[in-house]
Each structure stands twice: as C-alpha cells, then as structure tokens.
Amino acid sequence: MDQMSSFRALLLALLQICVFRVEFTVAQKDPEFIGLPPIVKIQEDSQPNSLVLEFQVKTVDPDPQIEIFNINPPTTVFALPTIHQGTGNTHNVTLRLSSNASLDFETLRLYRLELRVSANNSTATQTLEVEVLDVNEPPQCDAVFQFPGAVVKIPNDLTVPIELYHVVASDPDINNNLNYRIHQVWPASARPQFMIDGTGTIYSNQGFGYQSSDKDFIVNVTVSDEQGASCTGKVRIEILPVLDHTLNFTVPSQSVTISEDIQVGSVVAIVKALGSDLRYEFVGNYPAYRISQDGIIRTTCELDLETDGDQQWSILMIRAFSTTHRSGTATVNVTVLDVNDNPPTCTPSVIVLCIPETISIYSELATLSCSDADITNNSVSYQLEPNAVSQFKFRLQGSQLQVNNTLDYDNAEIAHNNFQYKATIFVIDGGLPPLTTVVQVLVTVTPVNEFIPGFQQPVQFLVNEDAGRGTVIGMVRATDRDWEHDSIRYSITGADQGFSINPRTGELYLRRELDFETQPTHRFVVQAEDLNQDINPSVREQTTQEVTINVQNVNDNPPECNPFYETEIYSTLSLTEEILSLTCWDIDGDRLTATLTNGGKNDRFRLNELQLFSKNAFSYNPEGIFDPIFFELRIEVTDGKFSTTVLVIIHVKPWTTTVPTTTTPTTTRKPRVQTVISSYWEPEPWFVAVMTVTIALALIALGLLIWKILQCTSACGKPTQEMSQPLLQNTYVNFAEEAKPQNPRDTPQTFDGKAQDPVTGRNYLFNSITGVRRWT
C-alpha cells in the first residue's frame, strides 16, 4: 500500500508539473496562429463561397475575435473569416470567398491579406498571400454563329476562290492562339469544296451552279485553343440564282467613312436602284451592317477595330431585285476610323517589391510591359509620380523603374510610413484625347545593419572609496545610426573587477568595496552590441571602449604612529631645542596635528606640529625636589576625523651632567595604542565668529583675574627680586623612578641671581646659565 500511495503521489506531481508547463507555455504566447501558411493558391474559376483556407488559433480565451484588417489591393472577393471552438484551447478558422466573388488571373494575380486575432487583451497578426492560379478558359464564339447558326446567301455567279464567312471568336486567356477547323459539311460530298484559314475565314474553291448542283450547304466549324478547349458553330450557305435582266443603281459604287464610336443603328450609306417594287439585300455576310428593304445601310453593333480588325475596311456588295426577277449589284466601300477608346494595359498591373536599404543607385526594380489595343496611335509613354516620402527616390528609364536615390531605412519619416515607399506610374497612350493607365508602386525597404555603434563621452568616472555596493557610478552611452536608433545591449568584457552594467541603459554599478590606498584607478572594457538592426537577427555589430574609474580618496583610516617614546632631558633644556619628533603617518595622506591630552597640565611642555619642546619651567630644591623628574605624556594625533594616542615618557635631570640629552624609542614596554574615532562637525561661519569673540573675552577676563591674584600675593609676601622662572608644585612625582640628584655642595656653583618662589614665598639663588638653584 505504501508503494502504491507513493506512486500515485509521484504521478499527481508530474501531472501538476505538466499542467503548469502547459499553462506557462500558453501564457508565453497567447493568442497564436497555428497552421497558417504564408501563401495559399486558388484557381481563378473557383465558385463564390469556395473554401480558401482552414487554419487554427490557439488561445485560452473562449471567445477570440478574428478579422481581416487590411487587403492589398482592396477588394470584396473574400468573406469575413469564421471561427469555431475546437479541441481544448484550439479554435478552427475558415476563410472563404464572398458570395459575389469573381477571380480573374488575367486581371489580378495576387492578394495580400493581413489577419488579426484578438484575445486575452492582446492581439496577434500575420500576413497571408492568396495567389490566383490561371485556368484555361475555352474560346468564345459569336452567339449567332453558335446557335442557331449564321446564314450566308451567295449568288451563283461569283468567281473562285469565294469568301463565304468570317468566324468571329476570341480567347479570354492571354497570348493563346486559336485554331479553326471544319469538322463536318452537309452534304458530305461537298466537304473538299470548303476550307478555312488561320483567321477563321471560310472559302470555297469551287463555283456554285444554281441549276446543276446543290443550292444549300451547312459547314460546321470548331474553334479550339492550344490546350484543347473549344467552341463550335455552323454556317448555312444558300445559293441564289442570278437573273439575266440587270437593274441599274444610281450610284453603282460609293465610298463612305465612319467613326469607330458610331452609335448602333446609325446610317452608313443609302443605295438606290432604278425601278419599282424593288428589294435590297447583301450578297455576302456582313455581321456589322444590315440593309433595309428600302436600301438604307445601318450598323448592327458597336464597332471595335481592336476586336475585329477587318472592320476597318469593308466592301459591301448589295443586290437589288424585283418581283419580275430583275436584279443588279452595287458596292459600298466602308472605312472605319479608329477612336482612342482603349487605355494601355500593363504587366504587371501592380509593382510590389521588398528590397534591402543598401540597394545601389540605378538598380533595376521592375520593367513594365505595356501596350495599347487601339490599332492607331497606340504608342505609350511613361510618367512617374512619387508621393512626399518617395520624392526623388525612383526614376523611369523608358519602361524600366530604377532606384534614383538611397532608400534609407534609418529615419523616423520612413518608419512612420511602415518603411514603404509609394509611387504611381502613369502610362499614357498617343490617342486624342489620350487615355491613361495607373500602375501603383509599393516598395518595402528591409533593414541592413550598416553602422557600428560608437561610444560618447564621458568614459572616465569618479567615485568615493567609501561608496557602498550597488552605488551608481555613472552611465556609458553608445549611439547607433541604424533604426531603431540606439537599440544597444551593453556588457563588460574580460575579468570581473567588481563592476556591473545595466545591459539596456548602460548604468555602471559598484559590486564591491573600493580602497584608494590599494588601487586608486580601475580600468575595464565595455562592449556595445546593436540589436535587431538587420532583417537577419544574427547580423550584429559590436564596439568596445575602455572605461576608467578613478577612486576619490576619503578619510577612512586613522593615523598611525610609533606608540611609545621614552627620553631623558636636562631641566635647563633650551626652549628652542626639540625634545623628540613623533613618527606618524596617515594612509589617506591627510595633514596630522598633535595635542597634549594629559601630562602637560602644569605647562611644562609644548607641541609644534609633531615636535615636542620644553617650556623650561622646572623648579628643584637641593634639600627636596619640588618638581617631578618623571613625566608621562599622552599625545593625541588626529587627521581631523580619526585620532591615535601616543605615550611619551620623559625623565628630567635637575642639574647639568656630562650625558647629552637623547631620544630613545624603546620596545621593552608593551605599546598601548588607543584609536579614537570622532565625528566631524563643521560649524556655520557666524557661529565660529561668535565663539572666537566669546573665547577672546573669556581669556582676557581670566588674564585679569590671574593678574589680580598675583598682585594680591605679592602684597602679602616679602619684597623680592623678579622671578626668572616660576616653580610649580602640583605635579605628581614618582619618587621610586626618580634618579637621586647630585648634591650641589659637592660641586662649586656660581649664582648670579636671586628670586622668590611664588608658591612658598621662600627665596632662592640661581645660575642663569646652568639653571642651578639654591634655597637661602
């Protein structure tokens, strides 16, 4: 049971992981097109509502919306796509032709559809190209020729070869040749008599005899294209007798000129024969004309020389006959003048191109093949009309469209136009008035990574050595002239030196502590790499720049000194002679100052910078020493923020000896080093001025008070000579460590002065040179 439970738990965990991964995948890309190819092909003979394509949309949204938000060129051929729920998160989409769709390969061969699906407050778009495939369409024969069939009446006296009928047929397909063939003749015995040429004209190679041969023939003709598609029709030929009694026309032969755009039913000519009760008819087949019983010739259809070039010149043979079997013939020569009624046709009808922005100037983009169906004045000329964005970007050399200027991808104006240059080519024929065909030009420029990023100043930065981790040191900036401008990713190359960079903004961050004293300068290399500047994402350009970080010194180290000094001096040491000099240094290089913190309260010593001097204020008695001969001084050395204490031991010799004063640093005593870190406060200027004045006044008052006390003391004591040096008695003396003074009586002394001790009031003699004193 335990194993089964474990197994079930494991399966449940794996299932949850799979569900999470599926949900995560969906969240990564929602909505998404599935099975939508870039291009689909459909035949031009597809019926309305025919299926174009089925594909799927994947989204967790239960009600996604899909639309065609752009069709180029605009058309109503396609119906709105429909979407249905499929399996799971999959929805089935169906795209069909509209109910009135009509595709024509010869007119338009390619449609570009932009599809957009909206779901989960987001959209996805994709382009679908629909290519129209050519389908061979059968030739189209003249309706009367197909059914019930054309009827031709021929007099029996025409000479061979006799032109009987011209089959009118056309092929909707471009550049498709037609083949004309007589596939059946009735009666069959007359088959060798009839033939048809490549233009569809039926001839007879034999004459007709009204009395001795057949008077009625039926010729069946098949018109086929190169792929075998065909249409059929028939021509009925009736042979008419020719009477011996001839009728005369008032004008047996006349010539008329009409315009191609003459209205249907307009009068072309009028024929008149001499006689009464006459009827008129055409001897041959002239589909474009008809003659009434009174001899008026009119048009039966719109004349189109481009469709039927034989209409340009026609010879109409008219026969007049009467009820008395008399007849006569006349001819009318009809010349049809061409009218400029067909605009030029061009291949391609729309120029759509995708080219790189680095395409060279004068490169060929496309060549138009244009023609005018009019039989006269059918020359064509070309005129280029750019829009505001594509001004001077293209040029025409004949029918060839060429690049005339750099097609720049890297500017905001072309980006605002979806990186497309548009222009219009007007193709103008030589007719009057001229007709024009418009060919739209749409050139989409694709990006090329042309430029290498370049760094801008500064590339040197200052940072305090006490800056914390994560501190922003500065920002490096590189520029790239490729669009989108300055799409750059930054990175630091080489060994890790404790700095990092924001890959998008170029901000530099500190990742470790700095020490000016150890390393005042740091150098590293920053690389700038451009992104998405080429149609091929793998094509990238990089550049590097050395960045210098100068560390600013900060007072973060206390001064360091030899912690202990011990020396011997004479009590008569000169005021200007140095006792010792402190050996101190500061790693930060700050200026050091020294202050006596204890041991100098009796005003025996003074400091100048780091040099210790005596004030020569010692007083000794031969019978008993009043001043101590051992002094323990504590000196505080500070850099303005941090301080260090130095211990100085001074032994004073009361009388002159032969041993010179020496300064002897020793290491026999364990050093005591005290480091005091004090806060730094910088007062306002006004506060400094007030405190200075206050202290000066206090010192003056103190001086006056001391002077007053001395005056009082002098008045109470005996009159004495002026003291040369004061004697102080409040200094602690370590008699255990004092050296026993030499008896002054053992050495003859000469005294040249007398003074009174201000404390005890006793008089004493002194030597001003040696400093020796004697009580009296």
Side-chain angles (χ1 to χ4, degrees):
M1 289 297 293
D2 293 339
Q3 293 181 350
M4 288 296 295
S5 300
S6 301
F7 181 69
R8 291 177 181 175
L10 179 60
L11 288 180
L12 181 59
L14 291 175
L15 180 60
Q16 292 176 347
I17 291 174
C18 292
V19 170
F20 171 76
R21 295 182 68 179
V22 169
E23 293 177 351
F24 178 77
T25 303
V26 171
Q28 287 294 311
K29 192 171 185 180
D30 188 353
E32 177 185 9
F33 288 97
I34 299 177
L36 179 60
I39 189 169
V40 64
K41 299 180 180 181
I42 185 170
Q43 293 184 341
E44 66 173 329
D45 60 350
S46 298
Q47 298 299 314
N49 299 319
S50 296
L51 177 65
V52 178
L53 177 65
E54 290 182 336
F55 59 92
Q56 294 177 326
V57 171
K58 188 173 183 181
T59 177
V60 296
D61 192 333
D63 187 23
Q65 302 296 320
I66 190 166
E67 60 177 335
I68 304 174
F69 69 91
N70 187 30
I71 302 179
N72 188 21
T75 183
T76 59
V77 169
F78 301 96
L80 294 176
T82 58
I83 187 167
H84 309 283
Q85 179 66 43
T87 303
N89 295 331
T90 303
H91 301 264
N92 300 322
V93 181
T94 302
L95 179 62
R96 295 180 177 275
L97 297 178
S98 63
S99 58
N100 60 347
S102 177
L103 302 176
D104 187 5
F105 173 83
E106 288 73 28
T107 303
L108 191 58
R109 304 181 183 183
L110 183 67
Y111 298 91
R112 180 174 283 103
L113 284 66
E114 296 187 34
L115 303 175
R116 175 168 57 204
V117 60
S118 303
N120 285 336
N121 296 324
S122 63
T123 61
T125 61
Q126 188 162 332
T127 300
L128 172 67
E129 292 185 348
V130 179
E131 182 181 354
V132 180
L133 300 179
D134 188 22
V135 175
N136 184 42
E137 299 175 76
Q140 297 176 359
C141 294
D142 180 71
V144 175
F145 170 70
Q146 291 188 90
F147 183 82
V151 177
V152 178
K153 295 180 180 181
I154 301 297
N156 65 343
D157 60 347
L158 296 179
T159 59
V160 295
I162 303 171
E163 181 179 339
L164 302 176
Y165 181 79
H166 181 76
V167 177
V168 177
S170 62
D171 193 336
D173 296 313
I174 299 175
N175 300 325
N176 207 349
N177 296 322
L178 297 179
N179 179 39
Y180 300 88
R181 178 176 61 87
I182 298 175
H183 69 270
Q184 187 179 15
V185 176
W186 184 89
S189 59
R191 174 64 184 87
Q193 182 178 349
F194 298 98
M195 62 185 65
I196 189 170
D197 63 13
T199 64
T201 303
I202 301 174
Y203 296 90
S204 173
N205 58 8
Q206 297 179 15
F208 299 100
Y210 184 81
Q211 302 295 334
S212 60
S213 62
D214 295 320
K215 303 176 181 60
D216 197 0
F217 303 89
I218 296 177
V219 178
N220 294 285
V221 179
T222 298
V223 182
S224 59
D225 60 15
E226 295 175 350
Q227 285 72 35
S230 63
C231 64
T232 60
K234 62 183 178 180
V235 179
R236 182 173 181 176
I237 303 172
E238 297 179 359
I239 306 303
L240 301 177
V242 178
L243 302 176
D244 295 334
H245 304 286
T246 303
L247 290 175
N248 295 320
F249 283 81
T250 56
V251 181
S253 178
Q254 57 179 307
S255 297
V256 295
T257 301
I258 60 175
S259 175
E260 180 185 14
D261 59 352
I262 190 173
Q263 296 294 323
V264 177
S266 298
V267 176
V268 177
I270 299 176
V271 293
K272 189 69 175 177
L274 301 177
S276 60
D277 195 15
L278 301 178
R279 299 290 184 268
Y280 299 91
E281 65 178 0
F282 285 137
V283 176
N285 180 31
Y286 311 110
Y289 307 96
R290 63 183 174 86
I291 188 169
S292 62
Q293 295 297 323
D294 54 1
I296 300 176
I297 302 174
R298 302 175 184 270
T299 58
T300 61
C301 60
E302 293 183 352
L303 301 180
D304 189 359
L305 299 183
E306 292 73 39
T307 303
D308 186 0
D310 293 339
Q311 293 179 352
Q312 189 174 9
W313 298 283
S314 299
I315 300 176
L316 307 181
M317 182 173 291
I318 301 98
R319 182 176 61 202
F321 60 93
S322 67
T323 56
T324 60
H325 301 289
R326 296 180 61 198
S327 66
T329 60
T331 59
V332 176
N333 297 316
V334 181
T335 301
V336 181
L337 299 179
D338 184 34
V339 174
N340 189 24
D341 57 353
N342 292 282
T345 58
C346 296
T347 303
S349 57
V350 178
I351 299 176
V352 180
L353 300 170
C354 286
I355 59 175
E357 63 172 323
T358 54
I359 186 171
S360 59
I361 298 176
Y362 308 137
S363 296
E364 176 186 349
L365 295 178
T367 300
L368 288 175
S369 176
C370 300
S371 60
D372 188 356
D374 293 311
I375 61 174
T376 60
N377 300 319
N378 53 11
S379 62
V380 294
S381 60
Y382 302 88
Q383 180 178 337
L384 180 64
E385 184 71 26
N387 64 4
V389 177
S390 60
Q391 191 77 23
F392 308 117
K393 296 298 183 181
F394 308 106
R395 72 170 188 173
L396 277 174
Q397 290 292 102
S399 63
Q400 187 179 92
L401 180 65
Q402 296 179 349
V403 178
N404 189 53
N405 204 340
T406 302
L407 301 181
D408 191 10
Y409 183 92
D410 307 314
N411 62 73
E413 182 181 14
I414 187 63
H416 181 71
N417 288 275
N418 296 322
F419 306 101
Q420 292 178 341
Y421 292 95
K422 298 180 181 179
T424 304
I425 299 176
F426 295 98
V427 183
I428 307 169
D429 64 15
L432 292 175
L435 298 180
T436 302
T437 295
V438 176
V439 178
Q440 298 293 342
V441 178
L442 178 61
V443 178
T444 300
V445 179
T446 57
V448 176
N449 196 354
E450 301 176 85
F451 304 106
I452 299 176
F455 279 92
Q456 295 181 340
Q457 297 297 326
V459 292
Q460 292 189 7
F461 303 95
L462 300 177
V463 59
N464 290 337
E465 65 174 326
D466 59 350
R469 295 182 179 179
T471 300
V472 178
I473 300 173
M475 178 186 293
V476 295
R477 177 172 173 79
T479 59
D480 190 352
R481 289 184 290 165
D482 289 306
W483 187 267
E484 294 179 0
H485 298 317
D486 307 336
S487 177
I488 293 174
R489 179 173 61 194
Y490 300 91
S491 61
I492 296 177
T493 63
D496 184 11
Q497 297 193 26
F499 301 93
S500 61
I501 190 170
N502 188 316
R504 298 301 301 169
T505 65
E507 281 189 331
L508 294 169
Y509 302 97
L510 180 63
R511 294 195 298 106
R512 67 176 178 86
E513 295 180 353
L514 299 176
D515 188 5
F516 172 82
E517 292 71 31
T518 303
Q519 186 175 356
T521 302
H522 298 266
R523 290 183 176 86
F524 52 87
V525 176
V526 173
Q527 175 180 282
E529 180 180 44
D530 56 20
L531 301 174
N532 303 321
Q533 307 289 25
D534 196 279
I535 192 171
N536 182 2
S538 63
V539 177
R540 299 177 181 177
E541 296 289 349
Q542 301 93 15
T543 187
T544 58
Q545 175 66 51
E546 184 181 73
V547 175
T548 301
I549 306 297
N550 294 317
V551 181
Q552 293 290 95
N553 189 21
V554 174
N555 189 7
D556 58 348
N557 293 286
E560 298 181 20
C561 299
N562 288 338
F564 177 73
Y565 297 85
E566 186 174 7
T567 186
E568 260 185 359
I569 65 171
Y570 292 108
S571 61
T572 57
L573 182 65
S574 172
L575 298 177
T576 60
E577 185 174 349
E578 174 187 309
I579 297 176
L580 58 82
S581 178
L582 301 180
T583 303
C584 298
W585 61 93
D586 189 0
I587 297 178
D588 299 318
D590 295 318
R591 182 176 179 274
L592 301 180
T593 60
T595 306
L596 281 168
T597 58
N598 74 323
K601 294 181 180 179
N602 294 328
D603 206 22
R604 300 292 200 279
F605 303 95
R606 66 181 177 88
L607 284 169
N608 183 12
E609 298 292 339
L610 298 180
Q611 287 79 36
L612 180 64
F613 294 88
S614 169
K615 288 190 175 182
N616 201 3
F618 302 104
S619 178
Y620 297 98
N621 191 334
E623 287 81 9
I625 299 175
F626 290 91
D627 282 350
I629 62 173
F630 172 82
F631 293 89
E632 181 177 309
L633 306 181
R634 293 186 182 275
I635 301 175
E636 182 182 33
V637 180
T638 179
D639 59 5
K641 182 177 180 181
F642 302 101
S643 63
T644 297
T645 301
V646 177
L647 180 63
V648 178
I649 303 298
I650 298 178
H651 301 277
V652 180
K653 292 185 177 182
W655 290 278
T656 303
T657 66
T658 57
V659 181
T661 301
T662 60
T663 300
T664 308
T666 181
T667 57
T668 59
R669 183 172 179 177
K670 185 176 180 180
R672 291 181 296 171
V673 179
Q674 180 180 3
T675 301
V676 178
I677 300 177
S678 59
S679 61
Y680 177 74
W681 173 64
E682 182 178 0
E684 298 292 336
W686 65 267
F687 182 78
V688 175
V690 170
M691 289 300 297
T692 302
V693 173
T694 302
I695 293 172
L697 292 175
L699 290 175
I700 292 172
L702 181 61
L704 291 174
L705 179 61
I706 294 174
W707 179 78
K708 194 66 176 177
I709 293 173
L710 292 176
Q711 287 288 340
C712 182
T713 303
S714 300
C716 295
K718 297 179 180 180
T720 60
Q721 295 181 352
E722 184 179 355
M723 293 186 297
S724 62
Q725 292 182 347
L727 297 176
L728 302 179
Q729 302 296 323
N730 59 346
T731 304
Y732 168 77
V733 179
N734 187 353
F735 292 97
E737 296 182 3
E738 287 182 352
K740 186 176 181 180
Q742 184 179 1
N743 191 345
R745 292 181 176 87
D746 296 338
T747 304
Q749 298 289 342
T750 301
F751 301 98
D752 57 357
K754 184 178 182 181
Q756 185 182 40
D757 188 355
V759 178
T760 63
R762 295 179 60 186
N763 295 326
Y764 64 92
L765 300 175
F766 65 90
N767 188 317
S768 60
I769 296 176
T770 63
V772 177
R773 298 175 179 84
R774 177 178 294 177
W775 298 104
T776 60

